[in-house]
Amino acid sequence: MELLSHLFLGFETALSLTNLAYCFIGVLLGTGIGVLPGLGPLATISILLPITFGLPPVSSLIMLAGIYYGAQYGGSTTAILVNLPGESASVVTVLDGYQMARKGRAGVALATSAIGSFFAGTVATVIIVLFAPPLTEVALKFGPADYFSLMVLGLVASIVLAHGSLLHALGMVVLGLILGIVGTDVNSGITRFTFGFPEVADGINFVIIAMGIFGLGEIIANLQNESIRSVLGSRITGLMPTREDWRKMAAPILRGTALGSILGILPGGGAMLASFASYALEKKVSRTPEEFGNGAIAGVAGPESANNAGAQTSFIPMLTLGIPSNPVMALMIGALVIQGIQPGPSVIIEQPALFWGLIVSMWVGNLMLLVLNLPLIGLWVKLISVPYHFLYPAILVFCAIGVFSLSNTTFDIYLMALFGLVGYILRKIDCEPAPLLLGFILGPMMEEYLRRALLLSRGDPSVLVTEPVSAAMLVAALGLLILVAAPAARKARQEAFREEEA
Amino acid sequence: MRITNPKDFWAGTLYIFFGTGAVLIARSYPFGSATRMGPGYFPTILGVILALLGLLSLFRAFRSDGDPLGSIAWRPLLAITGGTALFGFLLPHAGLPLALFVLIFLSAAISENFKFGWRPALALMLLIAFCVIVFVKLLGVPLPLVGTWFAGLV
């Protein structure tokens, strides 16, 4: 049983005392920062990234993963208690979660979310164990042309599934690709787009971009419409769901997990789409659809399971193909590269301890979330009630010091300030900046694969459409674009994201 | 011709600016050939694509309806980005505690809820102390505690 020996290696790695500790710290910090209103997983991970750089690769990735689902869960807690989604994936949790909280059932809502997330996380981990290795085998047979087209497909899919204007999502991706070029060209040694600054000769560190655009940019945006939020004052009691609650949440959790697991694997999918789709599904199959929006437990259980399953399975394309399916995974890839590991199918062969250790630690992390969060709810509530005007100067300070610590130069602080400005401008003109990060991370890889593909074909670009795998990917990408540009699909897409604007 | 969608207009302008900029700068790098892509090859392609997207966006700006740009939040914008840049400048010269003081005070002062009082003052002191202890003493980040301006005084 090869699988068992792999799993054994995974458990050995993940359950070592150091890695357990890093997983715990990651989950704790992730939840702690993630519950702060206005800080989604993307901002949370950007802020905490520099802490992990000094660690060995395995521990650093385990801690980052812990931060990710901690932040995810923290976002749900805020959504339920404050009626304010910390991140896009918990937008639908607000709808019924907050209503439950208003009816004095905040404890049950939080417990439902934790239980659903844990179940979904467990199933998603099994799915990764089963599907990642065979997918890697396939990926190892890919040539440079196939990889290039796969990345095109990934970028296109993430555009299609992103909300907001298609044109601007495309624009952000291309702008990100151009930013990714900044630095020394590996083949000729020529520095490109550095404007004579030696500090960016190795390229712009992705943490600077992420912190500037998502950290600073979000603070500026939040300050523009500053308001005092009301946190539920009453004490949270009655965590344990009743028998009736258990009965009502079981089926939604199962459906949410299935839906989330599938959507998470798709490029561009991940947590947000999964939770929206699950909410819509639960509302449709429910025998009492009128309860939705008034505190239906199914409206919390389904989307919460779906978003956690999606968050987890989106690791599959990242680990096997080295392709990020969403901006959080783009950050993970950036972190791997900083650790000197080239993400892709070779990771499972060259770094089996990292691969299997990370997977097992995901399950351990989910267990920690369940055990940790229910007793610590009081602490999270205290954190949520810290007013924003005390919070954002501290966030700003941590961003500034974090960016400085990357390479101990003040240049990076100036650069982050510049990207903060860029982030604000982009939000102002309705250009959702998340796809920019995907393009930025994929840019250098795409150039390299294109170069190799063209070198092998002696400069004939038709190789992209004559290689069968590559052609299939490009056809799929084109199909997606046409499909979304078509009026009917456009309407459906707007419909799918409608709940968010409401 | 009237601009009916200002957001698309500015986005288009931005794309064209960066797209043509990328193409122009990339002209100074060897372009190479398709078989041996030079360092100028990929940026040129991307720049052209971005500029084309910009044209499309400009076209849309005259054809579709969109929301007005809305007011620009100058105060937060300047305080947050300017404050961060000022922190970068003050750090080596004035030292970490003073640079932090300026950054925290400047950013906090623009909040609608900003008041002088002992609680905010205490929070400010605690945050500075926390940063000095955790980042400099415990994590060993080489942040200067005393800047070059005061180097002679200590």
Side-chain angles (χ1 to χ4, degrees), chain A residues 165 167-168 171-172 174 177-178 181 185 188 190 192-193 223-224 226 389 392 396-397 400 404 408 410 413-414 416-417 421 424 428-431 447 451 454-455 458-459, chain B residues 7-8 11 15 25 29-30 34-37 39 42-43 46 50 53 56-57 60 69 71 73 77 81 84-85 87-89 100 104 107-108 110-113 131 135 142-143:
Chain A
S165 155
L167 176 67
H168 293 318
M172 287 300 101
V174 180
L177 287 170
I178 293 178
I181 291 174
D185 176 39
S188 61
I190 288 177
R192 295 184 288 181
F193 300 114
L223 281 176
Q224 188 165 15
E226 201 182 353
H389 55 274
Y392 76 85
L396 195 57
V397 164
F404 176 85
N408 302 326
T410 51
I413 301 179
Y414 295 127
M416 179 178 73
L421 178 69
Y424 178 75
K428 198 77 212 169
I429 52 178
D430 283 354
C431 294
E447 181 178 18
R451 193 199 311 268
L454 289 181
L455 188 67
R458 297 172 201 285
Chain B
K7 287 180 176 177
D8 270 356
Y15 296 166
I25 295 173
Y29 312 136
T35 315
R36 298 202 174 272
M37 276 167 54
F42 198 53
L46 292 179
L50 190 61
L53 289 174
L56 204 63
S57 185
R60 248 181 30 173
L69 211 49
S71 62
L77 185 62
T81 57
T84 307
F87 173 80
F89 172 74
L100 277 178
I104 298 169
S107 60
I110 52 152
S111 167
E112 289 164 12
N113 302 309
C131 290
F135 292 107
L143 294 149

Coordinates of all heavy atoms in Angstrom, one line a residue, chain A residues 165 167-168 171-172 174 177-178 181 185 188 190 192-193 223-224 226 389 392 396-397 400 404 408 410 413-414 416-417 421 424 428-431 447 451 454-455 458-459, chain B residues 7-8 11 15 25 29-30 34-37 39 42-43 46 50 53 56-57 60 69 71 73 77 81 84-85 87-89 100 104 107-108 110-113 131 135 142-143:
Chain A
S165 N -16.5 43.6 -14.0 CA -16.4 43.6 -15.4 C -15.4 42.6 -16.0 O -14.3 42.5 -15.4 CB -16.1 45.0 -15.9 OG -15.4 45.0 -17.1
L167 N -13.9 42.8 -18.9 CA -12.8 43.5 -19.6 C -11.8 44.0 -18.6 O -10.6 43.8 -18.8 CB -13.4 44.8 -20.3 CG -12.4 45.7 -20.9 CD1 -11.8 45.1 -22.1 CD2 -13.1 47.0 -21.3
H168 N -12.2 44.5 -17.4 CA -11.3 45.0 -16.4 C -10.5 43.8 -15.7 O -9.4 44.0 -15.4 CB -12.0 45.9 -15.4 CG -12.4 47.1 -16.1 ND1 -11.7 47.8 -17.0 CD2 -13.6 47.8 -16.0 CE1 -12.3 48.9 -17.4 NE2 -13.5 48.9 -16.9
G171 N -7.9 43.1 -18.1 CA -6.9 44.2 -18.0 C -6.0 44.0 -16.8 O -4.8 44.2 -16.9
M172 N -6.6 43.6 -15.6 CA -5.8 43.5 -14.4 C -4.8 42.3 -14.5 O -3.7 42.4 -14.1 CB -6.8 43.2 -13.2 CG -7.5 44.4 -12.7 SD -6.5 45.7 -12.2 CE -6.5 46.8 -13.6
V174 N -3.4 41.2 -17.3 CA -2.3 41.6 -18.2 C -1.4 42.6 -17.5 O -0.2 42.5 -17.6 CB -2.9 42.2 -19.5 CG1 -1.7 42.6 -20.4 CG2 -3.8 41.2 -20.2
L177 N 0.7 40.6 -15.3 CA 1.7 39.9 -16.1 C 2.9 40.8 -16.4 O 4.1 40.4 -16.2 CB 1.2 39.3 -17.4 CG 0.2 38.1 -17.3 CD1 -0.5 37.9 -18.7 CD2 0.9 36.9 -16.9
I178 N 2.6 42.1 -16.7 CA 3.7 43.0 -17.0 C 4.5 43.3 -15.7 O 5.7 43.3 -15.8 CB 3.1 44.3 -17.6 CG1 2.5 44.0 -19.0 CG2 4.2 45.4 -17.7 CD1 1.9 45.2 -19.7
I181 N 7.2 40.9 -14.9 CA 8.4 40.9 -15.8 C 9.5 41.8 -15.1 O 10.7 41.5 -15.3 CB 8.1 41.5 -17.2 CG1 7.2 40.5 -17.9 CG2 9.3 41.8 -17.9 CD1 6.7 41.0 -19.2
D185 N 16.1 39.5 -16.4 CA 15.7 38.4 -17.3 C 16.6 37.2 -17.1 O 17.8 37.4 -17.2 CB 15.7 38.9 -18.8 CG 15.4 37.8 -19.7 OD1 14.5 37.0 -19.4 OD2 16.0 37.7 -20.8
S188 N 18.9 36.4 -20.5 CA 19.9 37.4 -21.1 C 20.6 38.2 -20.0 O 21.6 38.8 -20.2 CB 19.2 38.4 -22.0 OG 18.2 39.1 -21.3
I190 N 19.6 40.8 -18.7 CA 19.2 42.2 -18.8 C 18.1 42.5 -17.7 O 17.2 41.8 -17.5 CB 18.7 42.5 -20.2 CG1 19.8 42.5 -21.2 CG2 18.0 43.9 -20.3 CD1 19.4 42.7 -22.6
R192 N 14.9 44.4 -16.6 CA 13.8 45.0 -17.3 C 12.9 45.8 -16.4 O 12.6 45.4 -15.3 CB 13.0 43.9 -18.0 CG 13.8 43.2 -19.1 CD 13.0 42.2 -19.8 NE 12.7 41.0 -19.0 CZ 12.0 39.9 -19.4 NH1 11.5 39.9 -20.6 NH2 11.8 38.9 -18.6
F193 N 12.5 46.9 -16.9 CA 11.5 47.8 -16.2 C 11.9 48.1 -14.7 O 11.0 48.3 -13.8 CB 10.1 47.1 -16.1 CG 9.5 46.9 -17.5 CD1 9.3 45.6 -17.9 CD2 9.2 47.9 -18.3 CE1 8.8 45.4 -19.2 CE2 8.7 47.7 -19.6 CZ 8.5 46.4 -20.0
L223 N -11.8 53.8 5.2 CA -11.9 55.1 5.9 C -12.8 56.0 5.2 O -13.3 56.9 5.7 CB -10.5 55.7 6.0 CG -9.6 55.1 7.1 CD1 -8.2 55.7 7.1 CD2 -10.2 55.4 8.5
Q224 N -13.0 55.7 3.9 CA -13.8 56.6 3.1 C -15.3 56.6 3.6 O -15.9 57.6 3.6 CB -13.8 56.3 1.6 CG -14.5 57.3 0.7 CD -14.1 57.1 -0.7 OE1 -13.6 56.1 -1.1 NE2 -14.4 58.1 -1.5
E226 N -16.4 55.5 6.8 CA -16.2 55.0 8.1 C -17.5 55.0 8.9 O -18.3 56.0 8.8 CB -15.2 55.9 8.8 CG -14.5 55.2 10.0 CD -13.6 56.2 10.6 OE1 -13.3 57.3 10.1 OE2 -13.1 55.8 11.7
H389 N -11.1 52.4 14.4 CA -10.1 53.5 14.5 C -8.9 53.2 15.4 O -8.0 54.0 15.4 CB -10.8 54.9 14.8 CG -11.6 54.9 16.1 ND1 -12.9 54.5 16.1 CD2 -11.3 55.2 17.3 CE1 -13.3 54.6 17.3 NE2 -12.4 55.0 18.1
Y392 N -6.8 50.2 12.6 CA -6.1 50.4 11.3 C -4.7 51.0 11.5 O -3.8 50.6 10.7 CB -7.0 51.1 10.3 CG -7.1 52.6 10.5 CD1 -6.2 53.5 10.0 CD2 -8.2 53.1 11.2 CE1 -6.3 54.8 10.2 CE2 -8.3 54.5 11.4 CZ -7.4 55.3 10.9 OH -7.5 56.7 11.1
L396 N -1.5 49.2 9.8 CA -0.6 49.9 9.0 C 0.9 49.7 9.5 O 1.8 49.5 8.7 CB -1.0 51.4 9.1 CG -0.4 52.4 8.0 CD1 -0.7 51.9 6.6 CD2 -0.9 53.8 8.3
V397 N 1.0 49.8 10.8 CA 2.4 49.6 11.4 C 2.9 48.2 11.1 O 4.1 48.1 10.7 CB 2.3 49.9 12.9 CG1 3.5 49.3 13.6 CG2 2.1 51.3 13.2
A400 N 4.0 48.0 7.5 CA 5.3 48.7 7.2 C 6.5 48.0 7.7 O 7.4 47.8 7.0 CB 5.2 50.1 7.8
F404 N 9.4 46.0 5.5 CA 10.8 46.3 5.7 C 11.6 45.0 6.0 O 12.7 44.8 5.5 CB 10.9 47.2 6.9 CG 12.4 47.5 7.3 CD1 13.1 48.6 6.7 CD2 13.0 46.8 8.3 CE1 14.4 48.8 7.0 CE2 14.3 47.1 8.6 CZ 15.0 48.1 8.0
N408 N 15.1 44.1 4.5 CA 15.7 45.2 5.4 C 16.1 46.4 4.6 O 17.2 46.9 4.7 CB 16.9 44.6 6.1 CG 16.6 43.5 7.0 OD1 15.5 43.4 7.5 ND2 17.5 42.5 7.1
T410 N 14.4 50.3 3.3 CA 13.2 51.2 3.3 C 12.6 51.4 1.9 O 11.5 51.9 1.8 CB 13.7 52.6 3.8 OG1 14.8 53.0 3.1 CG2 14.0 52.6 5.3
I413 N 9.3 49.9 1.6 CA 8.2 50.7 2.3 C 7.7 51.7 1.3 O 6.5 51.8 1.2 CB 8.7 51.3 3.6 CG1 9.3 50.3 4.5 CG2 7.6 52.1 4.2 CD1 9.8 50.9 5.8
Y414 N 8.6 52.4 0.6 CA 8.1 53.4 -0.4 C 7.3 52.7 -1.5 O 6.2 53.2 -1.9 CB 9.3 54.1 -1.1 CG 10.1 54.9 -0.2 CD1 11.5 54.8 -0.1 CD2 9.5 55.9 0.6 CE1 12.2 55.6 0.8 CE2 10.2 56.8 1.4 CZ 11.6 56.6 1.5 OH 12.4 57.4 2.3
M416 N 5.6 49.9 -1.2 CA 4.3 49.5 -0.7 C 3.3 50.7 -0.7 O 2.2 50.6 -1.0 CB 4.4 48.9 0.7 CG 3.1 48.5 1.3 SD 3.2 47.8 2.9 CE 3.6 49.2 3.9
A417 N 3.8 51.9 -0.3 CA 3.0 53.1 -0.3 C 2.5 53.4 -1.7 O 1.3 53.6 -1.9 CB 3.8 54.3 0.2
L421 N -1.5 53.3 -3.2 CA -2.1 54.3 -4.1 C -2.7 53.7 -5.3 O -3.9 53.9 -5.7 CB -1.0 55.3 -4.5 CG -1.5 56.4 -5.5 CD1 -2.4 57.4 -4.8 CD2 -0.3 57.2 -6.0
Y424 N -5.9 51.9 -4.4 CA -7.1 52.8 -4.3 C -7.6 53.2 -5.6 O -8.8 53.2 -5.8 CB -6.7 54.0 -3.4 CG -7.8 55.0 -3.3 CD1 -8.9 54.7 -2.4 CD2 -7.9 56.1 -4.0 CE1 -10.0 55.5 -2.3 CE2 -9.0 57.0 -3.9 CZ -10.0 56.7 -3.0 OH -11.1 57.5 -2.9
K428 N -11.3 52.5 -7.2 CA -12.1 53.7 -7.6 C -12.7 53.6 -9.0 O -13.8 54.0 -9.3 CB -11.1 54.9 -7.6 CG -11.8 56.2 -7.5 CD -12.3 56.5 -6.1 CE -13.6 57.3 -6.2 NZ -14.3 57.4 -5.0
I429 N -11.9 53.0 -9.9 CA -12.4 52.8 -11.3 C -13.0 51.4 -11.5 O -13.1 50.9 -12.6 CB -11.4 53.1 -12.3 CG1 -10.1 52.3 -12.1 CG2 -11.1 54.6 -12.4 CD1 -9.0 52.6 -13.1
D430 N -13.4 50.8 -10.4 CA -14.1 49.5 -10.5 C -13.2 48.4 -11.1 O -13.8 47.5 -11.8 CB -15.4 49.6 -11.3 CG -16.5 50.2 -10.4 OD1 -16.2 50.4 -9.2 OD2 -17.6 50.5 -10.9
C431 N -11.9 48.4 -10.9 CA -11.1 47.3 -11.4 C -10.7 46.5 -10.2 O -9.8 46.9 -9.4 CB -9.8 47.9 -12.1 SG -10.1 48.7 -13.6
E447 N 6.2 33.3 -19.4 CA 7.2 33.7 -20.3 C 8.2 32.5 -20.6 O 8.5 32.2 -21.7 CB 7.9 34.9 -19.8 CG 9.0 35.4 -20.8 CD 9.7 36.6 -20.4 OE1 9.7 36.9 -19.2 OE2 10.4 37.3 -21.3
R451 N 8.7 30.6 -24.1 CA 10.1 30.6 -24.7 C 10.5 29.1 -25.0 O 10.9 28.9 -26.1 CB 11.1 31.2 -23.7 CG 12.4 31.5 -24.3 CD 13.5 31.7 -23.3 NE 13.1 32.5 -22.1 CZ 13.3 33.9 -22.1 NH1 13.9 34.5 -23.1 NH2 12.9 34.5 -21.0
L454 N 8.4 27.6 -27.9 CA 8.8 28.2 -29.2 C 10.1 27.7 -29.7 O 10.4 27.5 -30.9 CB 8.7 29.7 -29.2 CG 7.3 30.3 -29.2 CD1 7.3 31.8 -29.2 CD2 6.4 29.8 -30.3
L455 N 11.0 27.5 -28.7 CA 12.4 27.0 -29.0 C 12.3 25.6 -29.6 O 12.9 25.3 -30.6 CB 13.2 27.0 -27.7 CG 14.7 26.7 -27.9 CD1 15.4 27.8 -28.7 CD2 15.4 26.6 -26.5
R458 N 10.9 25.5 -33.1 CA 11.7 26.4 -34.0 C 10.9 27.6 -34.4 O 10.8 28.0 -35.5 CB 12.1 25.6 -35.3 CG 13.0 24.5 -35.0 CD 13.3 23.6 -36.2 NE 13.7 22.3 -35.8 CZ 15.0 22.1 -35.4 NH1 15.9 23.0 -35.3 NH2 15.3 20.8 -35.1
G459 N 10.3 28.2 -33.4 CA 9.6 29.5 -33.6 C 8.3 29.4 -34.3 O 7.7 30.4 -34.6
Chain B
K7 N -15.7 55.7 -15.4 CA -14.8 54.7 -14.8 C -14.1 54.0 -15.9 O -12.9 53.7 -15.9 CB -15.5 53.8 -13.9 CG -15.9 54.4 -12.6 CD -16.7 53.5 -11.7 CE -16.9 54.2 -10.3 NZ -17.7 53.4 -9.4
D8 N -14.9 53.6 -17.0 CA -14.3 52.9 -18.1 C -13.3 53.8 -18.8 O -12.3 53.4 -19.3 CB -15.4 52.5 -19.1 CG -15.9 51.1 -18.8 OD1 -15.3 50.5 -17.8 OD2 -16.8 50.6 -19.4
A11 N -10.1 53.9 -16.7 CA -9.4 52.6 -16.8 C -8.8 52.4 -18.2 O -7.6 52.0 -18.3 CB -10.4 51.5 -16.6
Y15 N -4.8 51.8 -19.0 CA -4.3 50.6 -19.8 C -3.4 51.1 -20.9 O -2.4 50.5 -21.2 CB -5.5 49.8 -20.3 CG -6.3 49.1 -19.3 CD1 -7.6 48.5 -19.6 CD2 -5.9 49.0 -17.9 CE1 -8.4 47.9 -18.7 CE2 -6.7 48.4 -17.0 CZ -8.0 47.9 -17.4 OH -8.8 47.3 -16.4
I25 N 9.3 51.0 -23.6 CA 10.5 50.7 -22.8 C 11.2 49.4 -23.4 O 12.4 49.3 -23.5 CB 10.2 50.5 -21.3 CG1 9.7 51.9 -20.8 CG2 11.4 50.0 -20.5 CD1 9.2 51.8 -19.4
Y29 N 15.2 46.7 -25.3 CA 15.7 45.3 -25.0 C 15.7 44.6 -26.3 O 14.8 44.7 -27.2 CB 14.8 44.6 -24.0 CG 14.5 45.4 -22.7 CD1 13.2 45.4 -22.2 CD2 15.5 46.1 -22.1 CE1 12.9 46.2 -21.1 CE2 15.2 46.9 -21.0 CZ 13.9 46.9 -20.5 OH 13.6 47.6 -19.4
P30 N 16.7 43.7 -26.5 CA 16.7 42.9 -27.7 C 15.4 42.1 -27.9 O 14.9 41.5 -26.9 CB 17.9 41.9 -27.5 CG 18.7 42.5 -26.4 CD 17.8 43.4 -25.6
A34 N 11.1 34.5 -32.7 CA 10.2 33.6 -32.1 C 10.9 32.4 -31.5 O 10.7 31.9 -30.5 CB 9.0 33.2 -33.0
T35 N 11.9 31.9 -32.3 CA 12.7 30.7 -31.9 C 13.5 31.0 -30.7 O 13.5 30.2 -29.7 CB 13.6 30.3 -33.0 OG1 12.9 30.3 -34.2 CG2 14.1 28.9 -32.8
R36 N 14.1 32.2 -30.7 CA 14.9 32.6 -29.5 C 14.3 33.9 -29.0 O 14.8 35.0 -29.3 CB 16.4 32.7 -29.8 CG 16.9 31.4 -30.3 CD 18.4 31.4 -30.1 NE 18.9 30.0 -30.5 CZ 19.0 29.0 -29.6 NH1 18.7 29.3 -28.3 NH2 19.4 27.8 -29.9
M37 N 13.3 33.8 -28.1 CA 12.7 35.0 -27.6 C 13.7 35.9 -26.8 O 14.3 35.4 -25.9 CB 11.6 34.6 -26.6 CG 10.2 34.3 -27.3 SD 9.1 33.5 -26.2 CE 9.1 34.7 -24.8
P39 N 14.7 39.4 -24.5 CA 14.0 39.9 -23.3 C 12.9 40.9 -23.6 O 12.1 41.3 -22.8 CB 15.2 40.6 -22.5 CG 16.3 40.7 -23.4 CD 16.1 39.6 -24.5
F42 N 8.3 39.1 -24.9 CA 7.1 39.0 -24.1 C 6.5 40.3 -23.6 O 5.3 40.5 -23.8 CB 7.4 38.1 -22.9 CG 6.2 37.4 -22.2 CD1 5.3 36.7 -23.0 CD2 6.1 37.5 -20.8 CE1 4.2 36.1 -22.4 CE2 5.0 36.9 -20.2 CZ 4.1 36.2 -21.0
P43 N 7.3 41.2 -23.1 CA 6.7 42.5 -22.7 C 6.1 43.3 -23.8 O 5.0 43.9 -23.6 CB 7.9 43.3 -22.2 CG 9.1 42.4 -22.0 CD 8.7 41.1 -22.8
L46 N 2.6 41.7 -24.4 CA 1.7 42.1 -23.3 C 1.3 43.5 -23.4 O 0.1 43.9 -23.2 CB 2.4 41.8 -21.9 CG 2.6 40.4 -21.6 CD1 3.3 40.3 -20.2 CD2 1.3 39.6 -21.5
L50 N -2.5 45.0 -23.6 CA -3.0 45.9 -22.7 C -3.5 47.2 -23.3 O -4.6 47.7 -23.0 CB -2.0 46.2 -21.6 CG -2.5 47.0 -20.4 CD1 -3.5 46.2 -19.6 CD2 -1.4 47.3 -19.4
L53 N -6.8 46.5 -25.0 CA -7.9 46.4 -24.0 C -8.3 47.8 -23.6 O -9.4 48.1 -23.3 CB -7.4 45.6 -22.7 CG -7.3 44.1 -22.9 CD1 -6.7 43.5 -21.6 CD2 -8.6 43.5 -23.2
L56 N -10.5 49.3 -26.1 CA -11.8 48.7 -26.0 C -12.6 49.4 -24.8 O -13.8 49.7 -24.9 CB -11.7 47.2 -25.7 CG -12.9 46.3 -26.0 CD1 -13.1 46.4 -27.5 CD2 -12.6 44.9 -25.6
S57 N -11.9 49.6 -23.7 CA -12.5 50.3 -22.6 C -12.9 51.7 -22.9 O -13.9 52.2 -22.5 CB -11.5 50.2 -21.4 OG -12.1 50.7 -20.2
R60 N -16.0 51.7 -24.9 CA -17.1 51.4 -24.0 C -17.5 52.7 -23.2 O -18.7 52.8 -22.8 CB -16.8 50.3 -23.0 CG -17.6 49.1 -23.3 CD -17.3 47.9 -22.4 NE -16.9 48.2 -21.0 CZ -16.8 47.3 -20.1 NH1 -17.1 46.0 -20.4 NH2 -16.4 47.6 -18.9
L69 N -17.5 58.9 -11.1 CA -16.3 58.5 -10.4 C -16.5 58.6 -8.9 O -15.9 57.9 -8.2 CB -15.2 59.4 -10.9 CG -13.8 58.8 -10.9 CD1 -13.8 57.4 -11.6 CD2 -12.8 59.7 -11.7
S71 N -16.4 61.1 -5.3 CA -15.4 61.9 -4.7 C -14.2 61.1 -4.3 O -14.3 59.9 -4.0 CB -15.9 62.7 -3.5 OG -16.3 61.7 -2.5
A73 N -11.2 60.2 -1.8 CA -11.0 60.4 -0.4 C -9.6 60.9 -0.1 O -8.7 60.1 0.2 CB -11.2 59.0 0.3
L77 N -6.4 58.9 1.7 CA -5.4 58.6 0.7 C -4.0 59.2 1.0 O -3.0 58.5 1.0 CB -5.9 59.1 -0.7 CG -5.0 58.7 -1.9 CD1 -5.0 57.2 -2.0 CD2 -5.6 59.3 -3.1
T81 N -1.0 56.6 2.4 CA 0.2 56.4 1.5 C 1.3 57.4 1.9 O 2.5 56.9 2.0 CB -0.2 56.6 0.0 OG1 -0.7 57.9 -0.1 CG2 -1.2 55.6 -0.4
T84 N 2.9 56.3 5.2 CA 3.8 55.1 5.0 C 5.1 55.6 4.4 O 6.2 55.1 4.9 CB 3.1 54.1 4.1 OG1 1.8 53.8 4.6 CG2 3.9 52.8 4.1
A85 N 5.0 56.4 3.4 CA 6.3 56.8 2.8 C 7.1 57.6 3.8 O 8.4 57.5 3.8 CB 6.0 57.7 1.5
F87 N 7.1 57.3 6.9 CA 7.7 56.3 7.9 C 9.0 55.7 7.3 O 10.0 55.6 8.0 CB 6.7 55.2 8.1 CG 7.2 54.1 8.9 CD1 7.4 54.2 10.3 CD2 7.6 52.9 8.3 CE1 7.8 53.1 11.1 CE2 8.1 51.8 9.1 CZ 8.2 52.0 10.4
G88 N 9.0 55.4 6.0 CA 10.1 54.9 5.3 C 11.3 55.9 5.4 O 12.5 55.5 5.5
F89 N 11.0 57.2 5.2 CA 12.0 58.2 5.2 C 12.6 58.4 6.7 O 13.8 58.5 6.9 CB 11.5 59.5 4.7 CG 12.4 60.7 4.9 CD1 13.5 60.8 4.0 CD2 12.2 61.6 5.9 CE1 14.4 61.8 4.2 CE2 13.1 62.7 6.0 CZ 14.2 62.8 5.2
L100 N 7.5 55.5 14.2 CA 6.2 54.9 14.5 C 5.2 55.9 15.0 O 4.1 55.9 14.6 CB 6.4 53.8 15.5 CG 6.9 52.4 15.0 CD1 7.1 51.5 16.2 CD2 5.9 51.8 14.0
I104 N 1.7 56.4 13.3 CA 0.4 56.1 14.0 C -0.4 57.4 14.2 O -1.6 57.4 14.0 CB 0.8 55.5 15.4 CG1 1.5 54.1 15.2 CG2 -0.5 55.2 16.2 CD1 2.1 53.6 16.4
S107 N -1.9 58.7 10.8 CA -3.0 57.8 10.3 C -4.2 57.9 11.2 O -5.3 57.9 10.7 CB -2.5 56.4 10.1 OG -2.1 55.8 11.3
A108 N -4.0 57.9 12.5 CA -5.1 57.8 13.4 C -5.9 59.2 13.4 O -7.1 59.2 13.5 CB -4.7 57.5 14.8
I110 N -6.8 61.1 11.1 CA -7.8 61.4 10.0 C -9.1 60.6 10.3 O -10.1 60.9 9.6 CB -7.3 61.0 8.6 CG1 -6.8 59.5 8.7 CG2 -6.2 61.9 8.2 CD1 -6.9 58.9 7.4
S111 N -9.2 59.8 11.3 CA -10.4 59.1 11.5 C -11.5 60.1 12.1 O -11.1 61.0 12.8 CB -10.2 58.0 12.6 OG -11.5 57.5 13.0
E112 N -12.7 59.8 11.7 CA -13.8 60.7 12.2 C -13.9 60.5 13.7 O -14.5 61.4 14.4 CB -15.2 60.3 11.6 CG -15.3 60.6 10.1 CD -16.4 59.9 9.5 OE1 -17.2 59.3 10.2 OE2 -16.5 59.9 8.2
N113 N -13.5 59.4 14.2 CA -13.6 59.1 15.7 C -12.4 59.5 16.5 O -12.3 59.1 17.6 CB -13.9 57.6 15.9 CG -15.2 57.2 15.1 OD1 -16.2 57.8 15.2 ND2 -15.0 56.2 14.3
C131 N 6.1 46.9 19.3 CA 6.9 46.8 18.1 C 8.4 46.7 18.4 O 9.1 45.9 17.9 CB 6.7 47.9 17.1 SG 5.0 47.9 16.4
F135 N 9.5 43.0 17.5 CA 10.3 43.0 16.2 C 11.8 43.2 16.4 O 12.5 42.5 15.8 CB 9.7 44.0 15.2 CG 8.3 43.7 14.8 CD1 7.2 44.4 15.2 CD2 8.1 42.7 13.9 CE1 5.9 44.1 14.8 CE2 6.8 42.4 13.5 CZ 5.7 43.1 14.0
P142 N 16.5 44.1 11.8 CA 17.4 45.2 12.1 C 16.8 46.6 11.8 O 17.2 47.4 10.9 CB 18.5 44.9 11.0 CG 17.9 44.2 10.0 CD 16.8 43.4 10.6
L143 N 15.9 47.0 12.7 CA 15.3 48.3 12.6 C 16.1 49.2 13.5 O 16.2 48.9 14.7 CB 13.8 48.3 13.0 CG 12.8 47.5 12.2 CD1 11.7 46.9 13.0 CD2 12.2 48.4 11.1

